[in-house]
Amino acid sequence: MEKSLNTNSNLIAEENVLNWNTVQEGFRKTFGSEIYSSWLKNVSLITEYNHYVILGVQTRFIRDWITSRYADKILSELKKFKLSIDRIEFKIIEEKLGTVIPTKSEDRKISDIKDGVLNYNRLNPNLSFENFVVGKSNKIAFLSAKKISSQLSRYNPLFIYGGVGLGKTHLINAIGLELKNNSSVMFISAERFMYQFIKSIKKNEMVNFKDFFRKANVFIIDDIQFIRGKEGLQEEFFHTFNSLFDKSAQIIISSDRPPNKLDRVQERIKSRLSGGLVVDIGVPDYDLKLNILKKKITEFQNSFHEYPNLNNEIIDYMAKESNLNIRELIGIFNRVVAFSKMNKKPLSINDCKIILKDVHNNNKVISIDKIQNVTSNFFSINLQEMLSQRRSRPLARPRQIAMYLAKKLTTRSLPEIGRKFANRDHTTVIHAVKTIEKLSQDNSLMKKNIEEITSIILSD
Ligand code: ADP
Ligand code: MG
């Protein structure tokens, strides 16, 4: 009896194929959007069997993190859609490897944490100064990074900030490559720093943790914005920072926003972060994009000994049309090249348009709510007040900026945007867009603010 019941339920389950988008929606609801977007959004379904699934994750770190904290919950979530599943396996689909930096210490006490950290303490040999194309938007950051690398500068810390995909990780990685032969370099993302931190607390190894991180002469930490809202982590980071600073170790930090815009970070940390040299990387202009494409073409020639089948018109088109960031530009280039190889004939502008559209569609949809939230946060004003009918300039300008960004970053119509701004008329939106367009041409602070807000919106 029992047997037949079992077979029966298997039969039903077999017909029931997982719809991964629906499952992901379920994850978002069950785990909340913060955990979802930090850890689960990029989990993919590789293979589905009747009793188990193989899920793809990008790195070993993410796999360990997810299995240690969320595996059970994920399983019960999956069971909601397919009862027969009783096991999950994770497969790493893209592990970016670089070189491991040897540390000089042989201290056995710290060997455990060392092994753990060394797995993450990797520099990518391709992200070097030689491979970094310099343009208007990144020149100052580049020169500062160079100076720090030749130890000509005593700025400490060096803080590099800018939107997603603009070259921050590339630059700070390049500094690490440059210095690793003569110093003990530590390169870690803030996320991994946290992971080590939590692991050390659990294993009662905080002393080792402290020792380990304080041994570096050059401490590079990527994406520091990750510490926002995490009190315990900030506490530890603060102490690590201070002891490194006190022994004159060079500290290099990247962030998606300037120190003073790191909300939910302790004031004393913000003040430390801005105590050295703060430089930004901006959105690339046409020339920089063109030069990056040229560099990519040369790299392609060197690896394949042939010129990619692209004419100047297409290259020009790519540089003009990709308006978000360098990572996207390179993605578009790779796709166009792959396409032209398959086609064996030069691409037309029209083919190129189709490819680009695809890339853009793959990007996440930006909501007006998000634009409003980020903008009001950026100016430290209350969202309700920003949307209210009050006309004082400290409220009206951010309101206009948010409208302008809604027009620029979403596909919403003017009346739709108006409705989202406390039922304003579409002519008000037009007026706002025009005003901000004009101001951002004449006023460099306005231009910069808009760039920063945009990059926060795109990166969150
Ligand atoms: P971020 O850390 O700011 O999000 P990355 O450093 O990861 O951005 O850069 C995204 C991609 O763009 C990487 O492949 C990087 O090598 C490339 N890239 C960024 N800036 C440049 C540049 N100036 N020259 C060449 N490649 C660049
Ligand atoms: Mg980065």
Side-chain angles (χ1 to χ4, degrees):
M1 182 63 203
E2 211 187 294
K3 194 158 192 221
S4 76
L5 251 182
N6 238 334
T7 326
N8 226 345
S9 70
N10 281 351
L11 272 179
I12 298 167
E14 230 151 13
E15 281 164 10
N16 180 8
V17 174
L18 286 174
N19 174 334
W20 195 243
N21 285 338
T22 319
V23 176
Q24 287 273 24
E25 250 332 287
F27 285 167
R28 185 201 286 280
K29 285 201 191 102
T30 308
F31 290 92
S33 49
E34 194 149 346
I35 292 176
Y36 173 76
S37 58
S38 308
W39 304 105
L40 305 174
K41 196 173 68 185
N42 293 323
V43 173
S44 57
L45 177 64
I46 297 184
T47 324
E48 176 180 354
Y49 297 100
N50 206 19
H51 287 285
Y52 74 104
V53 288
I54 301 180
L55 303 180
V57 292
Q58 268 144 355
T59 62
R60 180 160 290 133
F61 167 69
I62 295 175
R63 182 198 63 190
D64 293 349
W65 185 268
I66 293 179
T67 33
S68 67
R69 337 196 99 203
Y70 308 129
D72 290 348
K73 240 170 150 185
I74 291 179
L75 184 62
S76 38
E77 191 63 31
L78 288 171
K79 275 176 169 299
K80 285 187 196 161
F81 299 94
K82 188 167 167 180
L83 197 62
S84 60
I85 295 179
D86 52 23
R87 185 155 60 90
I88 316 170
E89 263 179 44
F90 287 96
K91 204 171 159 179
I92 296 153
I93 43 185
E94 186 200 358
E95 174 96 302
K96 281 192 199 128
L97 288 177
T99 50
V100 174
I101 308 167
T103 50
K104 286 162 194 156
S105 151
E106 286 302 323
D107 192 343
R108 293 188 64 202
K109 260 196 348 215
I110 62 166
S111 69
D112 183 54
I113 180 157
K114 194 169 77 180
D115 293 344
V117 176
L118 278 179
N119 276 329
Y120 309 132
N121 193 16
R122 285 181 175 140
L123 290 173
N124 181 334
N126 298 317
L127 303 180
S128 61
F129 282 129
E130 289 75 57
N131 293 336
F132 191 85
V133 184
V134 184
K136 255 192 217 142
S137 53
N138 60 24
K139 189 168 181 182
I140 294 178
F142 174 79
L143 290 176
S144 316
K146 274 287 220 190
K147 269 202 169 153
I148 295 276
S149 308
S150 51
Q151 291 171 325
L152 287 176
S153 145
R154 264 179 267 137
Y155 290 118
N156 207 11
L158 171 64
F159 186 100
I160 299 180
Y161 74 91
V164 67
L166 296 181
K168 302 180 298 291
T169 300
H170 190 141
L171 257 192
I172 61 175
N173 187 93
I175 302 176
L177 288 177
E178 210 68 15
L179 291 176
K180 72 170 181 177
N181 292 331
N182 297 321
S183 315
S184 160
V185 175
M186 187 150 308
F187 179 95
I188 194 162
S189 69
E191 191 179 0
R192 283 168 179 175
F193 184 77
M194 177 181 83
Y195 177 71
Q196 281 304 331
F197 171 58
I198 291 172
K199 215 165 101 182
S200 306
I201 293 178
K202 276 199 187 144
K203 288 182 150 182
N204 231 335
E205 287 175 347
M206 271 316 284
V207 177
N208 298 351
F209 177 91
K210 286 179 204 291
D211 280 357
F212 184 75
F213 281 100
R214 290 165 198 188
K215 278 207 156 74
N217 306 124
V218 178
F219 183 73
I220 308 176
I221 186 157
D222 200 6
D223 289 323
I224 195 72
Q225 73 276 358
F226 190 82
I227 69 172
R228 286 159 61 225
K230 305 185 174 74
E231 275 298 325
L233 184 65
Q234 290 183 24
E235 199 64 31
E236 192 50 43
F237 174 76
F238 183 70
H239 294 303
T240 306
F241 184 102
N242 285 344
S243 48
L244 286 165
F245 191 85
D246 287 344
K247 65 165 205 178
S248 303
Q250 176 69 52
I251 301 167
I252 297 138
I253 297 151
S254 85
S255 162
D256 70 349
R257 64 199 81 190
N260 61 340
K261 289 281 171 333
L262 286 165
D263 55 305
R264 294 182 291 139
V265 170
Q266 299 170 6
E267 283 305 321
R268 55 181 193 167
I269 292 183
K270 288 197 253 191
S271 108
R272 287 285 192 285
L273 295 179
S274 45
L277 179 63
V278 178
V279 291
D280 73 318
I281 300 189
V283 178
D285 60 7
Y286 172 78
D287 285 341
L288 177 56
K289 287 188 279 187
L290 197 64
N291 288 333
I292 287 174
L293 290 173
K294 285 184 182 158
K295 175 118 191 159
K296 286 282 150 196
I297 291 174
T298 318
E299 281 173 16
F300 181 90
Q301 277 179 297
N302 291 340
S303 358
F304 296 102
H305 305 290
E306 60 174 308
Y307 191 83
N309 214 345
L310 307 172
N311 59 34
N312 282 340
E313 199 190 2
I314 297 272
I315 296 168
D316 179 71
Y317 183 81
M318 285 192 270
K320 281 203 180 108
E321 287 303 305
S322 73
N323 46 21
L324 288 177
N325 62 50
I326 295 175
R327 182 174 300 144
E328 190 204 50
L329 177 71
I330 295 173
I332 290 169
F333 172 82
N334 289 338
R335 258 196 211 213
V336 169
V337 169
F339 237 74
S340 75
K341 272 187 120 173
M342 274 184 326
N343 272 356
K344 296 215 162 39
K345 64 172 178 47
L347 293 184
S348 67
I349 289 286
N350 227 353
D351 298 327
C352 210
K353 273 189 188 158
I354 295 169
I355 298 170
L356 275 167
K357 209 166 158 213
D358 208 35
V359 171
H360 283 140
N361 283 346
N362 268 337
N363 283 323
K364 54 192 160 209
V365 181
I366 293 160
S367 69
I368 295 180
D369 288 336
K370 168 141 201 192
I371 294 173
Q372 292 174 338
N373 276 320
V374 173
T375 310
S376 58
N377 259 338
F378 183 89
F379 291 105
S380 307
I381 54 177
N382 180 292
L383 175 62
Q384 292 320 318
E385 281 186 324
M386 186 178 88
L387 299 180
S388 73
Q389 302 300 327
R390 288 171 53 194
R391 287 166 183 234
S392 72
R393 179 163 291 181
L395 296 175
R397 272 285 183 269
R399 182 185 306 140
Q400 288 178 318
I401 290 176
M403 288 186 198
Y404 163 84
L405 290 173
K407 182 72 202 123
K408 225 181 111 186
L409 302 176
T410 75
T411 51
R412 294 312 172 97
S413 67
L414 294 165
E416 277 176 311
I417 296 173
R419 274 198 292 280
K420 283 291 239 171
F421 282 80
N423 264 326
R424 286 179 164 79
D425 193 72
H426 75 277
T427 53
T428 311
V429 183
I430 297 179
H431 176 71
V433 173
K434 286 196 174 144
T435 309
I436 300 303
E437 258 167 12
K438 173 129 189 25
L439 279 175
S440 57
Q441 273 163 23
D442 305 342
N443 178 329
S444 62
L445 178 65
M446 177 64 90
K447 184 162 171 251
K448 210 165 150 56
N449 282 345
I450 287 184
E451 274 184 9
E452 273 170 27
I453 299 170
T454 307
S455 64
I456 296 172
I457 293 170
L458 294 177
S459 66
D460 255 10

